């Protein structure tokens, strides 16, 4: 009975005292990378739209010599 108690206590202590800092850091790193990719894609798409918008406005303005 004592062996069973010690085995259960060792198991529970091991489960409660796990060190997940390395896995958490990797998960945060992947999350930051994904957010960066989304931001870059959004800024690129918005930049292209703004470029075409300003080009259209510029072409409609009369030229000054």
């Amino acid at each position: 009975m004592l062996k069973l108690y010690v085995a259960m206590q060792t198991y529970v202590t091991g489960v409660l005292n796990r060190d997940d800092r390395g896995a958490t850091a990797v998960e945060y790193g992947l999350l930051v990378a994904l957010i960066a990719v989304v931001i870059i894609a959004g800024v690129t798409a918005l930049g292209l739209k703004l470029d075409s918008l300003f080009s259209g406005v510029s072409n409609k303005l009369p030229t000054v010599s």
Side-chain angles (χ1 to χ4, degrees), residues 21-33:
R21 286 181 291 166
T24 303
V26 170
E27 291 167 357
Y28 280 131
L30 290 173
L31 190 61
V32 167

Side-chain angles (χ1 to χ4, degrees), residues 9-22:
Q9 185 179 13
T10 304
Y11 174 76
V12 170
T13 303
V15 169
L16 294 177
N17 290 333
R18 284 190 321 183
D19 188 13
D20 290 339
R21 286 181 291 166

Side-chain angles (χ1 to χ4, degrees), residues 29-49:
L30 290 173
L31 190 61
V32 167
L34 178 64
I35 291 170
V37 167
V38 169
I39 289 172
I40 290 170
V43 167
T44 302
L46 184 64
L48 293 174
K49 281 275 207 192

